[in-house]
mmCIF file of all heavy atoms in Angstrom:
data_model
loop_
_atom_site.group_PDB
_atom_site.id
_atom_site.type_symbol
_atom_site.label_atom_id
_atom_site.label_comp_id
_atom_site.label_asym_id
_atom_site.label_seq_id
_atom_site.Cartn_x
_atom_site.Cartn_y
_atom_site.Cartn_z
ATOM 1 N N SER A 275 -20.215 4.961 -15.019
ATOM 2 C CA SER A 275 -21.240 5.397 -15.978
ATOM 3 C C SER A 275 -21.472 6.902 -16.020
ATOM 4 O O SER A 275 -22.141 7.385 -16.915
ATOM 5 C CB SER A 275 -22.581 4.686 -15.757
ATOM 6 O OG SER A 275 -22.410 3.305 -15.945
ATOM 7 N N ALA A 276 -20.961 7.658 -15.071
ATOM 8 C CA ALA A 276 -21.115 9.111 -15.102
ATOM 9 C C ALA A 276 -19.986 9.717 -15.932
ATOM 10 O O ALA A 276 -18.847 9.283 -15.837
ATOM 11 C CB ALA A 276 -21.094 9.676 -13.682
ATOM 12 N N PRO A 277 -20.307 10.718 -16.750
ATOM 13 C CA PRO A 277 -19.273 11.341 -17.573
ATOM 14 C C PRO A 277 -18.421 12.333 -16.780
ATOM 15 O O PRO A 277 -18.895 12.972 -15.843
ATOM 16 C CB PRO A 277 -20.076 12.065 -18.658
ATOM 17 C CG PRO A 277 -21.388 12.365 -18.017
ATOM 18 C CD PRO A 277 -21.635 11.258 -17.023
ATOM 19 N N VAL A 278 -17.159 12.461 -17.181
ATOM 20 C CA VAL A 278 -16.271 13.478 -16.637
ATOM 21 C C VAL A 278 -15.965 14.428 -17.797
ATOM 22 O O VAL A 278 -15.627 13.987 -18.894
ATOM 23 C CB VAL A 278 -15.002 12.867 -15.993
ATOM 24 C CG1 VAL A 278 -14.148 12.139 -16.997
ATOM 25 C CG2 VAL A 278 -14.194 13.908 -15.278
ATOM 26 N N LYS A 279 -16.144 15.735 -17.558
ATOM 27 C CA LYS A 279 -15.946 16.740 -18.608
ATOM 28 C C LYS A 279 -14.464 17.108 -18.689
ATOM 29 O O LYS A 279 -13.820 17.338 -17.674
ATOM 30 C CB LYS A 279 -16.780 17.984 -18.307
ATOM 31 C CG LYS A 279 -16.809 18.967 -19.452
ATOM 32 C CD LYS A 279 -17.856 20.045 -19.192
ATOM 33 C CE LYS A 279 -18.139 20.987 -20.284
ATOM 34 N NZ LYS A 279 -17.271 21.560 -21.131
ATOM 35 N N ILE A 280 -13.959 17.169 -19.903
ATOM 36 C CA ILE A 280 -12.542 17.467 -20.137
ATOM 37 C C ILE A 280 -12.430 18.844 -20.790
ATOM 38 O O ILE A 280 -13.138 19.146 -21.754
ATOM 39 C CB ILE A 280 -11.911 16.395 -21.042
ATOM 40 C CG1 ILE A 280 -11.984 15.034 -20.343
ATOM 41 C CG2 ILE A 280 -10.480 16.757 -21.413
ATOM 42 C CD1 ILE A 280 -11.712 13.856 -21.233
ATOM 43 N N SER A 281 -11.541 19.663 -20.246
ATOM 44 C CA SER A 281 -11.291 20.965 -20.859
ATOM 45 C C SER A 281 -9.796 21.255 -20.826
ATOM 46 O O SER A 281 -9.071 20.755 -19.959
ATOM 47 C CB SER A 281 -12.075 22.071 -20.150
ATOM 48 O OG SER A 281 -11.751 22.126 -18.783
ATOM 49 N N VAL A 282 -9.353 22.036 -21.791
ATOM 50 C CA VAL A 282 -7.951 22.428 -21.866
ATOM 51 C C VAL A 282 -7.911 23.957 -21.836
ATOM 52 O O VAL A 282 -8.549 24.616 -22.658
ATOM 53 C CB VAL A 282 -7.283 21.905 -23.160
ATOM 54 C CG1 VAL A 282 -5.817 22.309 -23.215
ATOM 55 C CG2 VAL A 282 -7.433 20.389 -23.261
ATOM 56 N N ARG A 283 -7.184 24.483 -20.839
ATOM 57 C CA ARG A 283 -7.033 25.937 -20.708
ATOM 58 C C ARG A 283 -5.569 26.242 -20.428
ATOM 59 O O ARG A 283 -4.978 25.652 -19.526
ATOM 60 C CB ARG A 283 -7.881 26.469 -19.544
ATOM 61 C CG ARG A 283 -9.369 26.263 -19.708
ATOM 62 C CD ARG A 283 -10.184 26.991 -18.639
ATOM 63 N NE ARG A 283 -9.749 26.794 -17.276
ATOM 64 C CZ ARG A 283 -10.190 25.820 -16.453
ATOM 65 N NH1 ARG A 283 -11.056 24.936 -16.885
ATOM 66 N NH2 ARG A 283 -9.759 25.748 -15.214
ATOM 67 N N GLY A 284 -5.010 27.140 -21.208
ATOM 68 C CA GLY A 284 -3.623 27.524 -20.997
ATOM 69 C C GLY A 284 -2.665 26.348 -21.094
ATOM 70 O O GLY A 284 -1.670 26.285 -20.384
ATOM 71 N N GLY A 285 -2.997 25.385 -21.948
ATOM 72 C CA GLY A 285 -2.139 24.222 -22.130
ATOM 73 C C GLY A 285 -2.252 23.183 -21.021
ATOM 74 O O GLY A 285 -1.520 22.208 -21.018
ATOM 75 N N LYS A 286 -3.169 23.393 -20.082
ATOM 76 C CA LYS A 286 -3.359 22.440 -18.975
ATOM 77 C C LYS A 286 -4.717 21.761 -19.123
ATOM 78 O O LYS A 286 -5.685 22.372 -19.570
ATOM 79 C CB LYS A 286 -3.279 23.157 -17.631
ATOM 80 C CG LYS A 286 -1.904 23.732 -17.356
ATOM 81 C CD LYS A 286 -1.910 24.450 -16.016
ATOM 82 C CE LYS A 286 -0.650 24.936 -15.594
ATOM 83 N NZ LYS A 286 0.384 25.491 -15.747
ATOM 84 N N VAL A 287 -4.758 20.485 -18.716
ATOM 85 C CA VAL A 287 -5.998 19.716 -18.808
ATOM 86 C C VAL A 287 -6.712 19.764 -17.462
ATOM 87 O O VAL A 287 -6.092 19.586 -16.401
ATOM 88 C CB VAL A 287 -5.711 18.247 -19.212
ATOM 89 C CG1 VAL A 287 -6.985 17.414 -19.177
ATOM 90 C CG2 VAL A 287 -5.072 18.204 -20.596
ATOM 91 N N TYR A 288 -8.028 20.003 -17.523
ATOM 92 C CA TYR A 288 -8.872 20.037 -16.325
ATOM 93 C C TYR A 288 -10.032 19.063 -16.499
ATOM 94 O O TYR A 288 -10.537 18.877 -17.605
ATOM 95 C CB TYR A 288 -9.434 21.449 -16.097
ATOM 96 C CG TYR A 288 -8.369 22.457 -15.742
ATOM 97 C CD1 TYR A 288 -7.691 23.144 -16.742
ATOM 98 C CD2 TYR A 288 -8.033 22.703 -14.421
ATOM 99 C CE1 TYR A 288 -6.698 24.056 -16.425
ATOM 100 C CE2 TYR A 288 -7.042 23.614 -14.095
ATOM 101 C CZ TYR A 288 -6.375 24.288 -15.101
ATOM 102 O OH TYR A 288 -5.394 25.184 -14.777
ATOM 103 N N LEU A 289 -10.427 18.475 -15.395
ATOM 104 C CA LEU A 289 -11.585 17.588 -15.369
ATOM 105 C C LEU A 289 -12.680 18.282 -14.569
ATOM 106 O O LEU A 289 -12.423 18.815 -13.480
ATOM 107 C CB LEU A 289 -11.222 16.254 -14.713
ATOM 108 C CG LEU A 289 -9.996 15.547 -15.306
ATOM 109 C CD1 LEU A 289 -9.670 14.287 -14.514
ATOM 110 C CD2 LEU A 289 -10.219 15.217 -16.768
ATOM 111 N N ASN A 290 -13.885 18.281 -15.111
ATOM 112 C CA ASN A 290 -15.030 18.924 -14.462
ATOM 113 C C ASN A 290 -14.735 20.373 -14.071
ATOM 114 O O ASN A 290 -15.198 20.862 -13.039
ATOM 115 C CB ASN A 290 -15.504 18.115 -13.254
ATOM 116 C CG ASN A 290 -16.084 16.784 -13.668
ATOM 117 O OD1 ASN A 290 -16.447 16.572 -14.821
ATOM 118 N ND2 ASN A 290 -16.173 15.859 -12.737
#
Side-chain angles (χ1 to χ4, degrees):
S275 298
V278 63
K279 190 169 188 320
I280 298 166
S281 58
V282 181
R283 297 189 311 269
K286 295 179 175 46
V287 175
Y288 293 88
L289 307 176
N290 293 342

